[in-house]
Amino acid sequence: MKTHTLLMPLDMHLHLRDGVMLENVAPLSAYSFSGGLIMPNLVPPIETLEDVKAYKQRIMAAVPNDYFEPYMTLFYKNYDKRFLASVAQDIMAIKLYPAGITTNSEGGVSSFNVEEMRQTLEAMSVLGIPLCVHGETNGFVMDREAEFMSIYEILAKNFPDLKIIMEHITTKAAVEMLDKYENLYATITVHHLLFTLDDVVGGMMMPHNFCKPIAKRPEDLDALLSVALEAHPKVMFGSDSAPHPRSKKESAGCAAGVFSAPIALQLLCEIFEQYDKLDNLQAFVSDNAQSIYKICPEFKEIILEKRPFVVPDDYGNVVPMYAGRVINWAIQSVE
């Protein structure tokens, strides 16, 4: 039976939520990943050192039997340098959300005035704290990421020493931006390597495929594949796994988010094998992130095997992507 081994896989964009949902989904990521960059858009958001420490404790309590390092983030505000210096050892990055653009982002940034942001972003540059960005405007939904490229350019030019991560990129325009500025990096999800908009609303609405940023066009998917499959040194895996209760997904409102954490590595094996690029998967799911974030996760070995695996219909009250479908790879063992 064909197998493939991954060492210290990392999920550098992960939503674990809180409370009962956290207790349900955190063990699923901790089982197969060595660590994850934890998003701070809770209610209320993670904005203080006390928030960071308390949330990390809740995460660790939810995964007591698995080694898993939660790399913590702060919700972006215009913090001063003194505060940032006091939290720098406890966080991996700061996450910026445009106001109201995605789940629990109402307190995000409403104006990208560089001078208003300068104190914070210059302090982050000096302290070596990366800026992670949900890069969308509030324009037409298919154009939101492409429209945000001009904001990335402004940030990259004005703060050349600031490491900026374009989160969950979905467009050819974002891929082209990677090599334009030395300080721009990106995460890519597994679902954006599989879905176009047709997979969301091409036939019947598929609520469990609906996310923000929304899946785009075939040419965008091809551009994402081109850099992910080659493990471009400035890209890394970030699932953006975003669980919602079934009642919030299968409803008129349909919350945005794809829950992929339990099957992400299996699907990545399938994709990389399809294109004869399995040798590059290690860099995409771990090595690049270690280099970009300067981290050294503790050893974890995941052995995957090529055999049919039926994706569960649900995990508690959360429905995963591809629920009930057969995929071609499964996790054989975790050491």
Side-chain angles (χ1 to χ4, degrees), residues 37-42 44-53 55 71-97 120 124 127 129-133:
L37 190 72
I38 311 302
M39 295 298 104
N41 56 326
L42 305 183
I46 304 299
E47 296 180 337
T48 69
L49 179 57
E50 291 73 20
D51 292 341
V52 168
K53 289 183 175 180
Y55 189 29
Y71 301 113
M72 307 305 293
T73 63
L74 277 178
F75 193 93
Y76 181 90
K77 297 197 313 184
N78 287 327
Y79 301 107
D80 61 37
K81 186 176 181 180
R82 182 177 179 180
F83 170 77
L84 291 173
S86 73
V87 301
Q89 298 303 310
D90 291 277
I91 63 171
M92 183 64 67
I94 293 178
K95 177 66 184 290
L96 186 155
Y97 295 91
T120 300
M124 290 173 62
L127 294 167
I129 301 172
L131 178 70
C132 300
V133 183

Side-chain angles (χ1 to χ4, degrees), residues 211-232:
C211 61
K212 290 183 179 180
I214 198 163
K216 301 300 192 301
R217 302 168 178 84
E219 57 267 32
D220 296 304
L221 187 150
D222 289 343
L224 296 176
L225 283 169
S226 71
V227 287
L229 291 169
E230 295 302 326
H232 187 298

Side-chain angles (χ1 to χ4, degrees), residues 20 40 69 100 121 125 134 152 160 219 285 295 324:
V20 174
E69 178 65 30
L121 298 182
S125 301
H134 182 120
Y152 279 132
E219 57 267 32
V285 301
I295 52 179

Side-chain angles (χ1 to χ4, degrees), residues 3-29:
T3 63
H4 188 73
T5 300
L6 294 172
L7 302 178
M8 293 89 76
L10 297 166
D11 183 345
M12 300 311 290
H13 187 116
L14 179 61
H15 296 272
L16 292 180
R17 311 302 192 200
D18 212 344
V20 174
M21 182 66 81
L22 168 66
E23 294 170 2
N24 180 20
V25 303
L28 299 172
S29 287

Side-chain angles (χ1 to χ4, degrees), residues 5-199:
T5 300
L6 294 172
L7 302 178
M8 293 89 76
L10 297 166
D11 183 345
M12 300 311 290
H13 187 116
L14 179 61
H15 296 272
L16 292 180
R17 311 302 192 200
D18 212 344
V20 174
M21 182 66 81
L22 168 66
E23 294 170 2
N24 180 20
V25 303
L28 299 172
S29 287
Y31 174 66
S32 54
F33 287 91
S34 286
L37 190 72
I38 311 302
M39 295 298 104
N41 56 326
L42 305 183
V43 179
I46 304 299
E47 296 180 337
T48 69
L49 179 57
E50 291 73 20
D51 292 341
V52 168
K53 289 183 175 180
Y55 189 29
K56 185 172 183 177
Q57 287 179 347
R58 296 195 297 275
I59 294 169
M60 297 310 296
V63 293
N65 299 319
D66 292 294
Y67 178 76
F68 177 79
E69 178 65 30
Y71 301 113
M72 307 305 293
T73 63
L74 277 178
F75 193 93
Y76 181 90
K77 297 197 313 184
N78 287 327
Y79 301 107
D80 61 37
K81 186 176 181 180
R82 182 177 179 180
F83 170 77
L84 291 173
S86 73
V87 301
Q89 298 303 310
D90 291 277
I91 63 171
M92 183 64 67
I94 293 178
K95 177 66 184 290
L96 186 155
Y97 295 91
I101 206 68
T102 191
T103 303
N104 299 337
S105 63
E106 289 72 20
V109 174
S110 55
S111 170
F112 285 87
N113 182 311
V114 168
E115 295 312 313
E116 291 179 3
M117 304 173 74
R118 185 171 296 281
Q119 175 183 237
T120 300
L121 298 182
E122 286 186 346
M124 290 173 62
S125 301
V126 170
L127 294 167
I129 301 172
L131 178 70
C132 300
V133 183
H134 182 120
E136 290 190 286
T137 69
N138 62 355
F140 179 66
V141 69
M142 289 292 284
D143 296 334
R144 289 176 181 178
E145 182 174 282
E147 288 175 352
F148 202 90
M149 292 303 111
S150 62
I151 297 175
Y152 279 132
E153 292 206 70
I154 291 169
L155 294 175
K157 287 178 179 178
N158 278 273
F159 306 98
D161 296 325
L162 177 65
K163 191 169 288 185
I164 302 169
I165 289 86
M166 303 184 291
E167 294 290 352
H168 44 49
I169 61 172
T170 65
T171 58
K172 182 179 180 182
V175 169
E176 292 170 348
M177 191 68 70
L178 276 170
D179 292 322
K180 193 170 182 180
Y181 294 95
E182 185 177 350
N183 57 333
L184 286 182
Y185 302 82
T187 57
I188 299 177
T189 76
V190 66
H191 52 279
H192 287 122
L193 294 176
L194 291 167
F195 297 162
T196 66
L197 188 59
D198 264 2
D199 296 292

Side-chain angles (χ1 to χ4, degrees), residues 308-326:
F309 175 76
V310 180
V311 180
D313 291 331
D314 55 56
Y315 292 87
N317 68 341
V318 183
V319 178
M321 66 179 287
Y322 286 0
R325 289 179 53 172
V326 178

